[in-house]
Amino acid sequence: MYRSHSCGELNASHIGTSATLSGWVQKTRDKGFVVWVDIRDRYGITQLVFDEDRTATELLEKARNLGREFVIQAKGKVIERASKNNNILTGDIEVLVDELSILNKSRTPPFTIEDDTDGGEDLRMKYRYLDIRRKPVQNNLIFRSKVAIEVRKYLSDKGFIEVETPYLIKSTPEGARDFVVPSRMNEGQFYALPQSPQTFKQLLMVGGLDKYFQIVKCFRDEDLRADRQPEFTQIDCEMAFVEQEDILNAFEGLTKHLLKEIKGIDVDTFPRMTFDEAMAKYGNDKPDIRFGMEFGELNEVAQHKDFNVFNSAQLVVGIAVPGGNSYTRKEIDKLTDWVKRPQVGALGMVYCRCNEDGTFKSSVDKFYDQEDLAKWAAVTGAKSGDLICVLSGDTHKVRTQLSALRMELAERLGLRKSDEFAPLWVIDFPLLELDEETGHYHAMHHPFTSPKPGQLELLDSDPGAVRANAYDLVLNGNEIGGGSIRIHDKETQAIMFKHLGFTPEEAKAQFGFLMDAFQYGAPPHGGIAFGLDRLVAILGGQETIRDFIAFPKNNSGRDVMIDAPATIDEEQLKELNLKVDL
């Protein structure tokens, strides 16, 4: 028996009993006549004691030679600790060791295995198996496991069936780039790793499994960000014989359950906002509604004077920064420089101070009087003591720029509190999105999303006006889930493919199996997919998903621990009928 107890289990009630512990050496302290060794496992730390009066000389010397991260087993008697440590669960006791075994020695690790480590991110990624020994990383992975277990429990209790779908599928031209896998037995042909199980879950609905879910790996060969990985995990769900309202109600229930069970928080309201409203009020389709600073469109009250910057703009829009009138001119200039960075791209910023005495002072006083500025305050909801920040330009660009400024200011003002949760449904997305470079439309979600009832005919006359039967679930300014009611008949799906630029032959080659399935009695169906990595990170009070993934890739999509991707042997390339010229 390697251990009778974990290293976080023993307490005062065990005094006088024998215990066997196994774990890693956290640190040793040698006072000459006594040696203390902290032994650690994922449950906690226990202090071992060896002293000249009660420990054999050979055993005491063995303890002195223990190095950090040695794997050891210690047997002994649980005794009361003279100097108690209230910071750990085992702080009332220590183990007087009478038998010590070294199970494995360790090289000195490249960074300290402690909560506040001295290892940089790159180093810890290279030695991720050591990083996982640290309590913060372990806690994140345990937290992720808890969320996944609660998801399975909830959906299973609601009658959902977990079904595994294939990882080796067919490449499709929609969405992000596929990772492709050459087939040795089918020369010149390739599998793709799935970006989602979309078509398979629709086929399961055709197959009569009316409630499906899967916690599944998905793959996208695209540029990376802090909240993106080339492989990621979805909570993938589909239901038959449902309308949008059924889906929203079902997955509000799941989200409420997770917030209650994981965070102990009751959330009753899930407000709904159309895509157009979200863009007009917040400048993006995943707004953080934990705080205000809603956009105020100022065209009517700002384009009547001789200020050509505003007069020539498609949109003049501003936000009221609470308490912002306290900013110095230097601080406001820094804000202006911030929005002019290439990452944001604004040409400049106009500001207006809302003084405590009810007067206003703006950077464009030459063009606007007090009455004008009072109207700016009314439109943006600014109060005395606030600062109004105004941007202008092309509608789409300026909304994006002001949205970035809004989020930056909220971060600086401490308005994005990680222990507050504000879910939001965003609905009525455009069905199609225009690619300005090519002039062609592509599906905003995917080509299987149905248009809102009664809007199919608009595809021919005004495709940009067609709204999708689609919905995103937003939590704290992050999209955590998205889905739609699907097209379930061949004729409508054929029309959709045509408007996406597929010829009938191309549609049949790519999606003939799905079109054929629709001819055998496909039920109305819809679903949603949650990003598990992102959901776990937000519930854990963070927005970077990498900290909640056991073995993540870096920003270049590399696994620096196993050095992947890597070249493969020339013989393997020959077997796969591939030739690589480097």
Side-chain angles (χ1 to χ4, degrees):
M1 181 175 67
Y2 279 109
R3 56 186 178 183
S4 61
H5 300 81
S6 76
C7 295
E9 188 175 351
L10 297 173
N11 55 48
S13 68
H14 296 96
I15 291 173
T17 66
S18 295
T20 302
L21 304 178
S22 291
W24 288 265
V25 173
Q26 179 75 21
K27 60 183 175 182
T28 60
R29 299 179 298 286
D30 186 352
K31 295 296 185 183
F33 62 92
V34 61
V35 175
W36 290 283
V37 176
D38 287 346
I39 183 173
R40 181 198 75 241
D41 61 15
R42 79 172 176 92
Y43 304 97
I45 292 176
T46 298
Q47 181 171 281
L48 310 177
V49 62
F50 307 78
D51 66 35
E52 289 180 345
D53 294 335
R54 295 174 291 182
T55 303
T57 302
E58 182 180 341
L59 184 57
L60 186 61
E61 194 60 29
K62 194 173 184 179
R64 286 197 173 103
N65 289 312
L66 292 175
R68 282 168 48 205
E69 300 306 309
F70 275 36
V71 186
I72 63 171
Q73 180 190 55
K75 298 180 181 178
K77 186 177 181 181
V78 182
I79 61 175
E80 186 174 3
R81 187 165 167 169
S83 179
K84 294 182 172 52
N85 183 351
N86 295 325
N87 295 321
I88 58 175
L89 295 173
T90 59
D92 290 338
I93 59 91
E94 58 190 1
V95 175
L96 178 63
V97 178
D98 54 42
E99 188 175 335
L100 176 67
S101 301
I102 297 175
L103 304 178
N104 215 333
K105 293 183 178 181
S106 172
R107 295 171 59 184
T108 301
F111 53 87
T112 54
I113 314 297
E114 294 176 353
D115 288 4
D116 297 318
T117 182
D118 56 1
E121 185 173 346
D122 291 342
L123 185 63
R124 289 185 287 110
M125 288 274 280
K126 182 174 175 60
Y127 296 94
R128 182 63 168 174
Y129 45 86
L130 296 180
D131 199 29
I132 290 174
R133 291 182 190 173
R134 296 194 308 116
K135 189 55 90 174
V137 181
Q138 288 189 352
N139 286 344
N140 284 349
L141 296 179
I142 293 166
F143 183 80
R144 180 189 177 107
S145 172
K146 185 177 178 182
V147 173
I149 288 168
E150 288 300 330
V151 167
R152 280 196 165 93
K153 280 168 55 179
Y154 181 86
L155 292 176
S156 296
D157 289 346
K158 297 297 181 181
F160 283 79
I161 308 299
E162 186 167 14
V163 182
E164 296 175 351
T165 52
Y167 278 170
L168 295 176
I169 65 167
K170 189 176 186 177
S171 183
T172 61
E174 284 295 311
R177 295 182 186 91
D178 289 327
F179 282 100
V180 294
V181 182
S183 171
R184 180 179 59 83
M185 293 182 290
N186 299 276
E187 184 176 345
Q189 296 185 320
F190 296 81
Y191 298 105
L193 300 179
Q195 297 184 31
S196 84
Q198 180 61 44
T199 54
F200 288 100
K201 66 180 178 179
Q202 290 189 248
L203 292 171
L204 289 171
M205 297 302 102
V206 177
L209 291 180
D210 65 338
K211 288 184 176 182
Y212 142 92
F213 87 99
Q214 183 181 189
I215 298 180
V216 59
K217 279 281 187 187
C218 301
F219 308 85
R220 290 179 187 169
D221 187 7
E222 59 185 353
D223 296 336
L224 304 179
R225 299 195 308 245
D227 61 343
R228 247 183 218 164
Q229 289 275 300
E231 54 180 312
F232 56 96
T233 306
Q234 283 187 180
I235 307 166
D236 200 58
C237 308
E238 198 80 2
M239 302 169 72
F241 302 109
V242 290
E243 296 176 333
Q244 178 176 293
E245 195 65 28
D246 300 307
I247 300 285
L248 269 53
N249 288 335
F251 293 97
E252 276 184 23
L254 172 61
T255 309
K256 287 178 181 177
H257 175 80
L258 292 176
L259 288 168
K260 178 65 175 177
E261 294 301 316
I262 302 296
K263 303 299 295 183
I265 293 172
D266 289 306
V267 176
D268 296 323
T269 58
F270 281 66
R272 299 181 188 183
M273 185 180 297
T274 67
F275 170 85
D276 290 339
E277 186 182 358
M279 295 304 294
K281 282 186 174 182
Y282 301 102
N284 70 62
D285 58 4
K286 47 182 186 297
D288 190 337
I289 60 170
R290 284 175 293 179
F291 58 96
M293 286 198 279
E294 291 185 10
F295 290 9
E297 297 192 356
L298 300 167
N299 289 40
E300 290 187 11
V301 296
Q303 288 185 326
H304 63 293
K305 294 296 180 75
D306 294 329
F307 188 48
N308 194 50
V309 172
F310 284 177
N311 293 342
S312 61
Q314 280 188 352
L315 178 65
V316 182
V317 62
I319 54 173
V321 183
N325 194 28
S326 63
Y327 289 0
T328 64
R329 175 60 188 269
K330 189 174 181 180
E331 287 174 319
I332 295 174
D333 287 345
K334 284 184 178 179
L335 270 186
T336 304
D337 291 339
W338 191 90
V339 299
K340 289 167 72 174
R341 298 180 312 146
Q343 300 95 315
V344 181
L347 296 176
M349 184 183 82
V350 169
Y351 69 87
C352 174
R353 295 181 180 277
C354 302
N355 299 320
E356 296 293 347
D357 62 3
T359 62
F360 303 93
K361 176 68 177 173
S362 87
S363 55
V364 287
D365 279 344
K366 178 180 176 181
F367 301 99
Y368 297 95
D369 58 28
Q370 292 292 300
E371 185 179 345
D372 294 323
L373 300 177
K375 291 176 181 177
W376 291 17
V379 172
T380 59
K383 299 178 177 61
S384 296
D386 292 351
L387 179 75
I388 303 171
C389 296
V390 183
L391 301 182
S392 62
D394 172 79
T395 297
H396 176 71
K397 288 181 180 178
V398 79
R399 281 175 173 170
T400 302
Q401 293 159 0
L402 191 60
S403 175
L405 177 60
R406 175 180 180 266
M407 295 296 278
E408 175 67 16
L409 286 166
E411 203 70 55
R412 296 184 186 190
L413 294 168
L415 301 177
R416 303 190 70 205
K417 297 181 173 67
S418 61
D419 58 350
E420 291 181 6
F421 295 91
L424 167 74
W425 285 110
V426 178
I427 58 175
D428 294 354
F429 285 83
L431 182 67
L432 303 175
E433 219 172 7
L434 182 65
D435 187 324
E436 293 181 1
E437 289 185 12
T438 66
H440 295 139
Y441 281 99
H442 63 265
M444 192 164 190
H445 281 74
H446 53 62
F448 315 109
T449 296
S450 67
K452 297 290 278 189
Q455 295 197 6
L456 184 63
E457 295 75 16
L458 283 175
L459 280 173
D460 286 321
S461 59
D462 191 1
V466 181
R467 301 290 104 176
N469 217 341
Y471 32 81
D472 280 357
L473 183 55
V474 176
L475 185 62
N476 294 1
N478 292 270
E479 177 202 332
I480 60 166
S484 65
I485 300 299
R486 323 300 187 189
I487 296 168
H488 68 278
D489 64 277
K490 181 179 179 180
E491 291 74 21
T492 305
Q493 189 65 72
I495 292 169
M496 185 66 174
F497 284 144
K498 182 188 78 170
H499 284 278
L500 292 172
F502 288 84
T503 65
E505 294 74 23
E506 288 170 337
K508 183 172 178 58
Q510 292 291 337
F511 302 108
F513 64 94
L514 185 65
M515 306 277 273
D516 288 344
F518 285 172
Q519 297 179 95
Y520 290 94
H525 58 281
I528 193 169
F530 287 78
L532 178 64
D533 310 298
R534 191 175 300 170
L535 174 62
V536 170
I538 294 168
L539 291 175
Q542 301 178 42
E543 291 189 6
T544 303
I545 66 174
R546 194 182 305 163
D547 296 336
F548 293 85
I549 298 173
F551 299 102
K553 307 291 189 289
N554 69 9
N555 285 340
S556 301
R558 294 195 63 81
D559 187 324
V560 294
M561 182 184 68
I562 64 172
D563 193 24
T567 57
I568 62 173
D569 187 85
E570 194 168 327
E571 285 302 311
Q572 279 183 282
L573 290 173
K574 286 180 181 177
E575 280 190 335
L576 296 168
N577 302 295
L578 295 175
K579 183 179 179 181
V580 177
D581 294 320
L582 298 175

